[in-house]
Amino acid sequence: MQQTFPITDTELEALATHAVGSVYSTMLETDATLVSTMEVGGSDCEEGSALPIDTDQTLIAGTVGFIGRLSGVIYIFMDLPLALKITCRLLDLKTQEIEAEGHETVNDAIGELTNMIVGAFKNDLSNKGYECRMTIPSILRGSSFSIEPAEVGLRRVFKFDCDGSSFVIDILMKEETQF
Amino acid sequence: MRVKILTVDDSKTVRIIVKKSFKSFDCDVVEAQNGVEGLAMAAKENPDIVLLDITMPVMDGVEMLTKLKSDPELKSIPVIMLTAEAGRENVMKIAKVGVRDYIVKPFKEDVLIDKVSRVIDLRPAGESAPAQKNIDDPMDILVVEDQPAIIEQIKSGFGHTPWEVHGVASTGEAIDFCQRKVPDCILISLSIPDDAAITLFRIIRSNAKTKYVPLFGLSVKTALEEQQRAQQAGFSTIITKPIDFGDLESKIGKAVNLDTSGKYFAMDDGFMTVKLPTACNPAVVNEVSTYLKTKTSEAVGAGISNVIFDTQAVESLNMEVVKLMLQSMKLCRDLSLKYALAGTTKIVSESKKFEESKDWNFCDSVDAAKGSF
């Protein structure tokens, strides 16, 4: 299955790096560097393995799906301190102002950040001839996540570093035969 | 003129970013979370431009855009799509419905400001705006039109106003006029040969003296191609011929930030009279509603305690008018003002058809209403 998948590992890595890079540089005026790539289901990373984020804090996950000839879902995981830092930078607000509003502001900001990253990823896929539509973002919070999809053609986990903190992009894709 | 921007996006983050981007400009940013709210807000606020997301719950941006463009009252509001979804298919779809431009997320604040300022006149906050005029003040309207009959028609159409219409036949004459005297508003015929209207538009916009003067295009209703070219060049308002002078007067009034409250509100002999006109369309209702609070406060300040709502000229009572009256009555009650209604037998009978107005009592004249207190 993996050998016949229309997107190669190199292309997927380029798509992920470009999407993250363009959103971080444009909206947050900072860089995100790719640290590692994991092939889930491969020898170095089994399905259900822990995410490669070095933190004991609560995690926040933004998720947006895309549907077309290539369908899938992209998760962005980060710990709450990084999510708060990103929200401050995105909205040009102080930590106290954001904390005063409760979870909603951080959730919305990470949801929008995910939406933009998946949007940039999806637009690059469209330019390669794979038109697709996006779903509305959703947010999860928790301390331990394990994603075991029922059916997937390609799954890669990319770990990025940004200002000394790490975050993870988990991309799950499959080719739709009905399209 | 303080412009109004409507941002329609389900993301609070994007709405905050949009608000922040225009903080240093003389404008109000109003918000809506989805297409349904966006349409309601567009009808209520009559914004100068809409920034519209595509993927939203309840009603998405494409559906809202389609509904907006099929509503005669709202279709002229320019729309810029602000979306994470670019892609050829999406762009083609929204272009067909009629958007002025689109911005793909992620976006730089500068790009957003640049694209919006191509469509509306964004004035930096604090930059002195011209003193507000009212309906009795004279104004200079420059009409650039090579058909003398149209100039005469416009002169005659504004005959009841203190506005002076100056007609010129060419762009050269228009530039000469603007050098001698800056007009309050300029109407340019889009059918002058060699795209002269677009050239003149650019010259006027690039001149510091005239850059904020409201500029309207004049075009035959069916000349869609020339209207589209003008809109792409930056014309935000196109007036179609044959000219609806009521509509044009209202558009000029809004563009020059004219205080039109004198058309509806009068204060004398200890009474404030709110006189509604014959055609109470949503634009008129919105205009009256805008002044309501200020004028009522002014009345209280002047020691007036009685208000008369005069609907005798109103052609037909619709829900918008009923809502306006309810809003006005509530305001009077809140400020401990007494009020009375004046209306014709037709209006009285129409008021019985609405649950909200079926118990209203009307006097048959303003004098009778005055006597009822």
Side-chain angles (χ1 to χ4, degrees):
Chain A
M1 181 82 178
Q2 226 165 280
Q3 284 145 357
T4 58
F5 201 78
I7 302 285
T8 66
D9 268 302
T10 318
E11 281 177 309
L12 187 64
E13 186 175 304
L15 288 170
T17 335
H18 176 253
V20 170
S22 69
V23 174
Y24 271 62
S25 62
T26 311
M27 302 308 293
L28 305 173
E29 293 179 337
T30 188
D31 295 322
T33 319
L34 181 65
V35 179
S36 63
T37 305
M38 284 161 50
E39 181 186 341
V40 181
S43 56
D44 59 339
C45 179
E46 290 176 13
E47 292 278 2
S49 298
L51 292 164
I53 298 184
D54 318 314
T55 184
D56 51 5
Q57 302 272 341
T58 301
L59 292 178
I60 183 164
T63 168
V64 171
F66 51 95
I67 305 141
R69 212 181 103 201
L70 290 178
S71 291
V73 60
I74 297 181
Y75 293 88
I76 297 174
F77 296 96
M78 65 184 74
D79 66 11
L80 269 184
L82 178 60
L84 190 60
K85 203 157 92 177
I86 284 174
T87 308
C88 287
R89 201 174 275 195
L90 192 61
L91 301 179
D92 196 19
L93 292 173
K94 294 196 174 71
T95 310
Q96 298 90 320
E97 292 175 282
I98 289 166
E99 281 175 336
E101 301 227 0
H103 288 174
E104 195 209 335
T105 308
V106 174
N107 285 358
D108 193 86
I110 299 307
E112 189 53 38
L113 188 87
T114 312
N115 187 45
M116 287 185 193
I117 291 173
V118 179
F121 182 90
K122 175 242 155 177
N123 294 338
D124 284 348
L125 272 185
S126 297
N127 293 338
K128 286 179 181 287
Y130 301 102
E131 281 289 353
C132 45
R133 296 192 64 195
M134 285 161 63
T135 64
I136 289 164
S138 56
I139 288 288
L140 301 164
R141 281 179 182 236
S143 51
S144 173
F145 288 93
S146 175
I147 294 158
E148 294 182 32
E151 189 193 345
V152 65
L154 182 75
R155 182 174 178 191
R156 297 289 182 272
V157 171
F158 299 96
K159 181 180 178 181
F160 286 86
D161 185 78
C162 172
D163 293 344
S165 307
S166 56
F167 67 94
V168 157
I169 309 273
D170 190 352
I171 303 178
L172 298 88
M173 291 170 81
K174 64 175 179 175
E175 190 177 10
E176 299 287 355
T177 48
Q178 298 298 314
F179 257 84
Chain B
M1 186 182 74
R2 197 166 172 83
V3 292
K4 201 174 277 179
I5 298 169
L6 168 61
T7 165
V8 187
D9 204 302
D10 58 328
S11 164
K12 185 181 167 191
T13 302
V14 172
R15 300 196 309 267
I16 294 174
I17 293 171
V18 169
K19 271 196 153 178
K20 190 164 64 78
S21 304
F22 294 101
K23 208 165 69 180
S24 57
F25 292 93
D26 189 23
C27 66
D28 292 319
V29 179
V30 290
E31 306 173 29
Q33 294 186 51
N34 56 57
V36 173
E37 275 187 23
L39 282 172
M41 197 59 103
K44 184 176 169 228
E45 299 284 347
N46 197 16
D48 297 281
I49 191 166
V50 178
L51 299 175
L52 182 58
D53 185 21
I54 290 187
T55 313
M56 291 184 289
V58 187
M59 183 194 284
D60 70 15
V62 176
E63 191 179 348
M64 177 183 155
L65 178 68
T66 311
K67 288 188 189 306
L68 191 90
K69 291 294 169 194
S70 59
D71 185 328
E73 298 291 337
L74 307 175
K75 68 177 183 188
S76 62
I77 302 174
V79 177
I80 292 182
M81 301 304 281
L82 184 58
T83 175
E85 293 200 57
R88 194 180 147 76
E89 203 177 88
N90 256 310
V91 174
M92 294 301 283
K93 195 160 67 179
I94 57 177
K96 271 185 201 161
V97 190
V99 288
R100 193 58 69 81
D101 211 334
Y102 70 94
I103 300 169
V104 179
K105 299 175 191 172
F107 59 92
K108 286 264 185 212
E109 199 176 291
D110 296 351
V111 173
L112 179 63
I113 293 167
D114 179 56
K115 296 231 177 192
V116 169
S117 64
R118 282 170 196 234
V119 181
I120 59 171
D121 291 332
L122 274 179
R123 193 190 294 265
E127 191 171 293
S128 61
Q132 190 179 32
K133 295 190 176 195
N134 66 48
I135 49 166
D136 300 323
D137 288 329
M139 284 208 299
D140 292 300
I141 313 290
L142 177 63
V143 181
V144 189
E145 168 66 79
D146 55 359
Q147 305 284 329
I150 300 288
I151 296 177
E152 286 312 310
Q153 196 187 27
I154 295 173
K155 280 184 179 172
S156 156
F158 289 144
H160 65 287
T161 71
W163 303 351
E164 195 172 343
V165 176
H166 308 268
V168 294
S170 68
T171 55
E173 286 176 73
I175 294 164
D176 287 346
F177 183 94
C178 290
Q179 276 171 352
R180 290 194 311 272
K181 187 177 197 179
V182 177
D184 295 283
C185 183
I186 305 174
L187 310 180
I188 307 176
S189 169
L190 300 180
S191 59
I192 302 177
D194 305 325
D195 274 344
I198 291 171
T199 310
L200 180 60
F201 177 90
R202 289 183 180 139
I203 293 169
I204 287 169
R205 281 286 169 266
S206 61
N207 184 314
K209 268 168 72 182
T210 53
K211 67 189 285 192
Y212 297 126
V213 175
L215 255 164
F216 296 172
L218 273 174
S219 169
V220 174
K221 207 168 194 169
T222 49
L224 298 175
E225 201 182 309
E226 95 182 359
Q227 290 171 27
Q228 202 173 10
R229 265 205 323 276
Q231 283 181 330
Q232 277 163 359
F235 276 89
S236 56
T237 309
I238 309 275
I239 305 296
T240 52
K241 296 185 250 187
I243 299 168
D244 172 346
F245 281 97
D247 181 55
L248 176 58
E249 198 179 319
S250 160
K251 282 183 173 147
I252 291 178
K254 188 170 186 287
V256 302
N257 195 22
L258 195 68
D259 179 359
T260 54
S261 62
K263 278 202 285 190
Y264 314 111
F265 296 84
M267 292 180 215
D268 56 16
D269 290 342
F271 294 95
M272 177 170 90
T273 308
V274 185
K275 187 177 163 61
L276 298 178
T278 310
C280 270
N281 56 39
V284 168
V285 170
N286 184 44
E287 203 173 5
V288 177
S289 172
T290 309
Y291 293 119
L292 196 61
K293 216 168 174 178
T294 324
K295 298 309 280 185
T296 314
S297 303
E298 261 179 46
V300 173
I304 290 172
S305 56
N306 299 321
V307 180
I308 295 156
F309 297 105
D310 179 7
T311 64
Q312 292 177 103
V314 176
E315 197 170 45
S316 171
L317 197 68
N318 58 44
M319 200 54 211
E320 294 297 317
V321 180
V322 172
K323 280 186 191 164
L324 173 70
M325 303 271 283
L326 287 170
Q327 183 196 354
S328 311
M329 291 172 187
K330 183 180 180 304
L331 194 60
C332 287
R333 285 194 296 273
D334 290 347
L335 294 168
S336 305
L337 294 170
K338 290 180 202 150
Y339 58 85
L341 314 176
T344 56
T345 49
K346 182 171 182 271
I347 292 296
V348 174
S349 110
E350 284 178 352
S351 72
K352 304 295 172 206
K353 294 177 192 163
F354 297 99
E355 184 60 32
E356 294 83 350
S357 60
K358 66 179 170 45
D359 298 326
W360 290 356
N361 292 315
F362 287 84
C363 300
D364 57 7
S365 70
V366 171
D367 284 339
K370 282 182 180 176
S372 71
F373 289 106

